[in-house]
Amino acid sequence: MRVPNPDELRPDDAVLVISVAAELSGLHAQTLRTYDRLGLVIPERTSGGGRRYTLRDVALLREVQRLSQEEGINLAGIKLIIELRRQLSDAQAALSEAREELGRMYEAARRVDRATRGGPRGELVHVPRSTQVVLWRPRNERDSDGERDSGDGRGTGREGYPGGNLRAEANPARRVSSRP
């Protein structure tokens, strides 16, 4: 069996036998057994039934000792405090996860919103398949018949285009849709 390097130990690695955990926490091994029986600090078990403590368990043992001796809280109260702290930690983790998910949802909604906008006004405009550039003008910028006359004497020139709703401008690459 490989003995772990203490520098490589993570807080949740259950590798400490009861005597080492008792020494690190400043408590007697029998006290650790009592805390386990009462459900205050429950270590992991080996297949043979031996207790294996983590560094996090040792920190919790120290906190139980502090609450009992310095604060004068009985073991039932300490058990309740530990349980409430666990619930708070779980709730904070769930809240953090929910905030991250909400952020992802907002970002996805922003991407969809940006993708569905036709331009700076955020309106969708049908553009016939073409390599030509189409310029859409809002209704309030058009004249009464739905098209703004450019004043070049050519009229609206809508015929010959798909749907009959486009008008040729002085620049043939620039088209204007009359769609509202």
Side-chain angles (χ1 to χ4, degrees):
M1 181 175 146
R2 175 173 130 31
V3 176
N5 179 349
D7 295 332
E8 297 173 1
L9 218 76
R10 293 185 307 251
D12 292 319
D13 289 341
V15 294
L16 305 173
V17 294
I18 192 166
S19 59
V20 174
E23 186 176 329
L24 289 173
S25 64
L27 299 170
H28 192 275
Q30 192 58 43
T31 305
L32 273 62
R33 289 184 189 95
T34 301
Y35 288 173
D36 181 15
R37 191 178 73 251
L38 295 173
L40 287 169
V41 180
I42 303 170
E44 292 185 29
R45 298 286 184 144
T46 65
S47 58
R51 294 173 174 89
R52 293 293 183 264
Y53 289 85
T54 66
L55 292 176
R56 195 176 308 275
D57 291 336
V58 171
L60 184 56
L61 288 166
R62 288 179 181 158
E63 180 66 5
V64 169
Q65 179 75 357
R66 185 190 72 75
L67 289 171
S68 175
Q69 291 184 353
E70 294 176 17
E71 303 295 332
I73 301 172
N74 65 22
L75 295 180
I78 292 172
K79 184 174 182 178
L80 183 60
I81 289 170
I82 291 170
E83 181 56 33
L84 290 173
R85 284 182 178 172
R86 280 191 189 125
Q87 288 176 7
L88 177 61
S89 178
D90 291 347
Q92 287 172 332
L95 177 61
S96 177
E97 189 176 308
R99 283 183 173 154
E100 289 174 9
E101 178 66 19
L102 183 62
R104 288 190 294 272
M105 291 171 71
Y106 274 131
E107 183 55 36
R110 280 195 283 280
R111 284 193 307 270
V112 167
D113 185 48
R114 275 187 252 128
T116 58
R117 283 191 226 165
R121 287 183 146 75
E123 300 181 49
L124 294 175
V125 177
H126 171 73
V127 179
R129 289 185 176 224
S130 166
T131 58
Q132 298 175 339
V133 176
V134 177
L135 173 65
W136 179 85
R137 290 197 179 150
R139 183 175 299 195
N140 62 352
E141 292 182 16
R142 294 187 223 133
D143 63 2
S144 61
D145 68 348
E147 292 292 335
R148 174 180 276 176
D149 192 351
S150 63
D152 62 0
R154 296 188 310 157
T156 58
R158 289 188 270 181
E159 26 329 300
Y161 293 104
N165 63 349
L166 298 178
R167 150 175 96 81
E169 297 260 327
N171 179 355
R174 184 174 172 200
R175 306 272 176 183
V176 178
S177 170
S178 65
R179 297 183 74 148

